[in-house]
Structure formats: C-alpha cells, structure tokens
Amino acid sequence: MIRKYPQQRRPNPSDMIYGTRAVIEAIKADKQIDKIFIQKNVKNELTNELIKLLIENGIVFQNVPGEKLDRLTGKNHQGVIAFVSPIEFADLHRVVSFIFDQGKDGLIVLIDRVTDVRNFGAIVRTAESAGADTVVIPSKGSAQIGSDAVKTSAGALNHLPICKVNDFEASVKYLKESGFHVVACTEKTEQLYSDADLTGPVALIMGSEEDGISDSVLEMADTKVKIPMQGKIESLNVSVAAGIFLFEVVRQRMAALR
C-alpha cells in the first residue's frame, strides 16, 4: 500500500467561493471550477437554480455534511462552497489527437483518487520533467487544484495540460482503443517495472495513497508492474513511485534511440 502524508492542509481561502449566489455568478462568468461541495438536505429555490446550472455545464458536484463545509471556512457559506482552479483544464480527446498529429509516442499519467495536494503537485512536477504529455484525474475523489498545488508542482501545472474527466474508466478505455499501452503501477503483480516495454505510447496509472488503483481500473490495464522493495518498508510514497516509473520510461526511450 502506498503511504499517505499524515496531515491534510486546509484549503487556501483565496481558492474558495462560498455562498450560493456567488457560486452561480462565478459559473456564469466562466470561472474554472475545480470542485463544488453542496450541503446535504439543503433545498431551496436558489440551490435548485445552482444545481440546474451545474448539470447544464457538465460540472460535477458532491453532496457533503454541513460539518465539512464548516471546517473549510468560518464564513456564512449558505451550504455551498466552490473551489476555483488557477489553470484551464484540457480535453483528453484533443490532447491525444495532438500527440498523434505530432507523430509522438505519447506518455500520459493517470492518477486514480490521489487526494493529497502535495503528492499531486509532486507527481505533476515529475511528469512534466519526464516529458509527459498530460496528467488525467477524475472529477471526484482527487486533490484540489488550487494555489497550493501550483506551488508544490514548482509551477509545472502552468506548463503541463491537466485533463479532469467525469468517467475515469471510460477514459482508460478510450486510451486503450487509441493505441496506448495502459500500465498499472501496483503491488498486486510479480512483474517488475524494468521488464515491461515502455517505448511505445504509454498511459501510466498511479493509485491512491491509501487503496492503490481501484479494482475496476486495475482490471483494465494491459500490464501490471511493481517496484522491487528490498527493505522492511513495503511501499513507497505515490509521488516517489511515480518518479521511478516515469524515468524508467525516459531511460527505455533514450536507450531505444541509440
């Protein structure tokens, strides 16, 4: 199991919009919304208007207990908090088309339910350094992309396209059908990462800090690989593991050019 950082950071207040009307206006102004939390059992005309607007714009939201919203801000949130993204999200289909138009062997990183902002930022930083084409994350159950994530990524979030998808499994299927070799990084295998062929179009899947890759996604992988652990600790931090896998891709591709 890949370990999790012991403590979660509280979101930066500058990344949040709270209050139903304020969130509605932000959406109408085409603000890039990363996440929206709506308090459970809050039903009124304004909330219904917000939900209708979210559905019309394909924006995923989560119903959460009021206590969660209270922990995020001491302001009068009216049962609604939105997190504004500092980046523009990319469309996965357009990214894939661009990769093949360039005649490249693409490298895509899929992050399944990684919720720690520092882990996420570190993975993006490493992915950009390794020449990855994009990072794909699910709309639900992923780290908040705010100012802390940009800082942790050392600015890589400003250079590497991020695709946020509503259906993670459908995205994996699409990449398989597009010719990508889908490689799951997991402890649930005997094959070592260095034994896999990573020279063609590759989509690497990294799993969550607590549970790894979800079973349904893991089953879709073409290949499952692991890192050989020699010490008493059974796993690595997900961002460290991602670095090892990504630069194995770099090593193999450089070797193939010699």
Side-chain angles (χ1 to χ4, degrees):
M1 184 179 293
I2 297 173
R3 292 179 298 171
K4 182 180 179 181
Y5 278 103
Q7 186 176 2
Q8 297 285 335
R9 289 184 178 180
R10 188 169 183 171
N12 190 323
S14 64
D15 297 327
M16 294 191 295
I17 300 174
Y18 46 84
T20 312
R21 175 55 65 187
V23 172
I24 288 173
E25 295 305 322
I27 295 169
K28 289 182 176 179
D30 293 328
K31 295 285 186 181
Q32 280 288 306
I33 304 297
D34 181 31
K35 294 179 184 293
I36 289 187
F37 293 146
I38 299 178
Q39 185 175 332
K40 291 180 179 179
N41 302 320
V42 171
K43 295 182 180 180
N44 54 56
E45 185 176 339
L46 203 55
T47 303
N48 291 338
E49 179 184 342
L50 170 61
I51 293 174
K52 180 181 178 182
L53 189 62
L54 294 173
I55 294 172
E56 289 174 350
N57 286 272
I59 300 173
V60 175
F61 62 92
Q62 293 175 253
N63 292 117
V64 300
E67 292 80 9
K68 181 178 179 68
L69 302 182
D70 293 339
R71 288 195 300 269
L72 292 172
T73 179
K75 305 292 185 179
N76 180 19
H77 51 69
Q78 299 174 332
V80 178
I81 294 180
F83 297 89
V84 181
S85 173
I87 64 170
E88 295 280 337
F89 293 109
D91 179 83
L92 180 59
H93 292 71
R94 291 183 179 179
V95 171
V96 170
S97 295
F98 179 78
I99 291 170
F100 290 132
D101 286 346
Q102 298 296 307
K104 297 177 58 181
D105 284 332
L107 174 55
I108 292 177
V109 182
L110 297 107
I111 305 179
D112 184 19
R113 303 173 303 158
V114 170
T115 58
D116 187 279
V117 172
R118 291 163 291 182
N119 277 339
F120 170 75
I123 293 171
V124 173
R125 179 178 183 175
T126 304
E128 198 282 331
S129 299
D133 295 287
T134 188
V135 169
V136 181
I137 60 173
S139 296
K140 287 186 177 181
S142 59
Q144 179 205 337
I145 302 179
S147 55
D148 285 342
V150 174
K151 181 178 179 181
T152 307
S153 75
L157 276 167
N158 294 317
H159 303 290
L160 183 64
I162 305 297
C163 299
K164 187 167 69 169
V165 297
N166 292 338
D167 192 330
F168 196 75
E169 292 180 22
S171 297
V172 174
K173 181 180 179 182
Y174 165 70
L175 291 173
K176 286 167 64 76
E177 293 174 345
S178 298
F180 280 84
H181 182 198
V182 176
V183 180
C185 306
T186 176
E187 298 164 3
K188 300 175 182 178
T189 184
E190 294 302 318
Q191 182 174 3
L192 301 183
Y193 72 99
S194 54
D195 294 334
D197 182 2
L198 305 174
T199 55
V202 169
L204 286 178
I205 308 178
M206 304 301 303
S208 75
E209 301 93 335
E210 295 180 341
D211 304 319
I213 299 170
S214 58
D215 291 339
S216 57
V217 173
L218 190 59
E219 290 177 2
M220 301 176 71
D222 299 308
T223 303
K224 303 177 184 67
V225 296
K226 70 175 183 178
I227 297 169
M229 305 297 293
Q230 302 297 311
K232 295 181 179 179
I233 302 300
E234 297 181 353
S235 63
L236 295 174
N237 176 275
V238 63
S239 63
V240 174
I244 293 172
F245 287 120
L246 281 164
F247 278 93
E248 174 62 15
V249 177
V250 173
R251 185 194 70 79
Q252 288 192 23
R253 293 181 175 185
M254 291 180 67
L257 294 174
R258 292 172 187 164

